Amino acid sequence: MLTVKVLGSGCANCQKLEDSARAAVTGLGVEAKIEKVTDIAGIMSYNVLSTPGLVINEKLVSSGRLPSEAEITTWLTDALMAEEAG
Amino acid sequence: MSTHQAASLPTRQGWRLPALALGAAVLWIILWGQLQNLADWLTYDLIGLTPGMHLAESVNFFLYDVPKILMLLTAMIFMVTIIRSFFSPERTRALLGGKREGIGNVLAAGLGVVTPFCSCSAVPLFIGFVETGIPLGVTFSFLIATPVVNEVALAMLFGLFGWRIAGLYLVTGLMIAILGGVIIGRLKPERYVEDFVWQIKVGQGGQDDVYKPTWDDRLRDAARVTREIVGKVWPFVVIGIAIGAGILGYVPEDFLGDIMGHQAWWSVPAAVVLGIPLYSNAAGVIPVVYALMEKGAALGTVLAFMMSVVALSLPEMLILRRVLKPHLIAVFVGIVAVAIILTGYLFNLVIR
């Protein structure tokens, strides 16, 4: 199962990113756990300088911008393939 | 550093968006040349006011300046966003790493202008900077420069006061950021950083090189940001210009000479104090300030006021309070305020 984390505390774009991530997961029809990381220590553990950040299976894929749903879908597919290969 | 090939979507650079941007630019230039004629026609022919009347002066100023400033804002924000798409906080951190104080402060202030940054990310940025060994003074130069040199203020200054004063504002803003950072760096500010900051472990990696936008991405993103910002500030622009127009038409010449002119020494600090609660409202404040200057206020006083409006913002202080002890916040505000006041006096002394 994929683990998706949205990094950021209270910025307007964090909510938008979470919505796009949910939409991408639903669109792919995969199982995924979507978490929000709002504490600063948690955010910094991914070395993020600007929020919102997006982490898929512990790998930071985007920070400081709002990726499109299509981009997120690509990342999710990549992570799924890596999971199956591993 | 990760090389994540599949993350980049298969995109090809098309010609459609660049052509659209070029077309918009040509249209912009044509319209720009006709603004005064358009405003004159509206004021004197369509509404039928007589040139020279107070009301005519006010209405003409309003009808000319509202479209002018909105057009300038649109062009400026669009171009600045394109420029910023070549920078990122991660790249800025890499550029600042290992730089000595002094050079580091100059570089940080310059990068503060071009790095895309939202004050909502001030906390992770601050921690990410200081934990990777960038000196606090250098980090402060960056944090002072980002709000002072803001594109909305610059566009409005350029539109209303001309390029000389806009340039003066830019250079002074950078100087304040550089000197403020150098002074803070000398005060051994490390002891006033909240203790938890030093305990946080910054993770490895990050994604310095993963996102490589195409020109289509840059243009699309710039269009979105421009829509967002102009959509947010236009009411303030309209209200500000309306008030400015009223002052221009009805307040007598040199009315403010006594209270805001060169002789009134206390007007500079008063302007700075007054500017603090008006944070992030440069759009509404600048047209009013322009009108005040036309009525006898001194340039230094006016510049000090504008810098105080953008540089000393309460919300940003509250965000920084999470990583800085009150002591350092006070020092930060104090140094920036004093720097702005000195700038005000300097300009009042030099330019008459």
Side-chain angles (χ1 to χ4, degrees):
Chain A
M1 190 173 78
L2 294 172
T3 313
V4 178
K5 289 180 183 169
V6 177
L7 315 178
S9 47
C11 58
N13 281 338
C14 304
Q15 190 54 49
K16 287 188 202 155
L17 178 60
E18 195 193 332
D19 295 343
S20 325
R22 279 191 196 285
V25 166
T26 318
L28 270 178
V30 290
E31 248 188 282
K33 192 168 77 185
I34 299 179
E35 291 176 28
K36 260 178 146 165
V37 179
T38 52
D39 68 300
I40 187 69
I43 293 171
M44 292 316 294
S45 69
Y46 295 98
N47 197 9
V48 158
L49 288 186
S50 51
T51 53
L54 186 68
V55 171
I56 298 175
N57 281 1
E58 292 310 303
K59 181 176 162 24
L60 183 72
V61 289
S62 159
S63 74
R65 66 188 191 95
L66 271 182
S68 66
E69 202 185 306
E71 276 176 278
I72 302 176
T73 307
T74 328
W75 294 325
L76 290 171
T77 322
D78 289 347
L80 274 177
M81 276 162 26
E83 249 181 13
E84 279 162 21
Chain B
M1 211 160 300
S2 61
T3 47
H4 196 57
Q5 303 301 342
S8 50
L9 294 169
T11 41
R12 218 154 27 91
Q13 180 59 51
W15 55 268
R16 222 176 54 84
L17 277 181
L20 208 67
L22 198 69
V26 171
L27 209 67
W28 190 98
I29 292 168
I30 294 171
L31 194 60
W32 180 257
Q34 296 304 317
L35 280 180
Q36 187 64 63
N37 291 341
L38 199 69
D40 287 349
W41 178 77
L42 281 172
T43 320
Y44 306 120
D45 296 336
L46 194 72
I47 307 178
L49 294 168
T50 323
M53 279 166 55
H54 284 321
L55 183 64
E57 247 175 77
S58 292
V59 169
N60 191 256
F61 174 79
F62 182 82
L63 289 178
Y64 172 58
D65 276 272
V66 167
K68 180 175 93 172
I69 297 297
L70 289 179
M71 281 178 71
L72 262 181
L73 271 179
T74 307
M76 186 79 158
I77 296 169
F78 190 83
M79 286 189 295
V80 167
T81 313
I82 295 276
I83 294 172
R84 284 191 178 150
S85 72
F86 291 93
F87 293 84
S88 70
E90 285 81 7
R91 185 170 297 170
T92 292
R93 177 172 63 179
L95 287 171
L96 289 178
K99 291 283 183 303
R100 281 185 298 114
E101 288 196 355
I103 292 178
N105 292 92
V106 175
L107 198 62
L111 286 168
V113 180
V114 292
T115 306
F117 171 74
C118 140
S119 63
C120 55
S121 289
V123 168
L125 183 118
F126 180 87
I127 298 175
F129 271 30
V130 299
E131 290 254 321
T132 43
I134 294 173
L136 268 171
V138 174
T139 306
F140 270 104
S141 281
F142 180 88
L143 286 177
I144 299 172
T146 38
V148 170
V149 187
N150 102 357
E151 63 275 21
V152 173
L154 265 181
M156 305 213 39
L157 283 177
F158 178 71
L160 287 168
F161 293 82
W163 67 268
R164 276 205 189 88
I165 290 185
L168 206 61
Y169 172 87
L170 177 71
V171 171
T172 329
L174 286 174
M175 291 302 290
I176 291 178
I178 294 167
L179 292 180
V182 168
I183 295 171
I184 291 177
R186 287 291 149 83
L187 298 174
K188 303 218 183 319
E190 287 76 11
R191 19 178 199 155
Y192 300 123
V193 171
E194 289 290 350
D195 303 321
F196 83 92
V197 169
W198 306 112
Q199 270 123 48
I200 283 180
K201 267 195 76 65
V202 173
Q204 290 301 304
Q207 48 125 38
D208 304 23
D209 277 340
V210 173
Y211 181 56
K212 290 222 176 60
T214 62
W215 269 98
D216 271 12
D217 293 332
R218 294 183 211 279
L219 291 170
R220 212 176 286 125
D221 203 47
R224 182 183 56 81
V225 170
T226 308
R227 246 196 327 270
E228 259 174 40
I229 299 183
V230 175
K232 208 165 55 190
V233 303
W234 76 264
F236 297 106
V237 173
V238 173
I239 293 168
I241 294 178
I243 296 174
I247 296 174
L248 276 183
Y250 290 95
V251 174
E253 217 54 51
D254 212 40
F255 179 72
L256 295 166
D258 289 339
I259 49 169
M260 290 178 81
H262 294 100
Q263 287 75 35
W265 66 268
W266 48 268
S267 66
V268 176
V272 171
V273 172
L274 220 70
I276 298 176
L278 292 169
Y279 48 84
S280 72
N281 241 324
V285 164
I286 292 174
V288 178
V289 158
Y290 168 73
L292 295 180
M293 209 171 109
E294 290 286 298
K295 299 299 174 187
L299 175 66
T301 311
V302 160
L303 272 179
F305 180 65
M306 284 184 300
M307 284 192 175
S308 163
V309 168
V310 290
L312 298 170
S313 105
L314 237 43
E316 198 181 325
M317 296 305 141
L318 287 177
I319 290 171
L320 284 176
R321 173 66 191 88
R322 287 163 58 193
V323 282
L324 306 177
K325 290 179 183 162
H327 214 95
L328 189 48
I329 299 268
V331 169
F332 173 62
V333 173
I335 286 177
V336 175
V338 169
I340 294 174
I341 290 173
L342 291 180
T343 313
Y345 282 133
L346 184 72
F347 281 121
N348 279 353
L349 209 67
V350 174
I351 300 169
R352 280 176 181 259

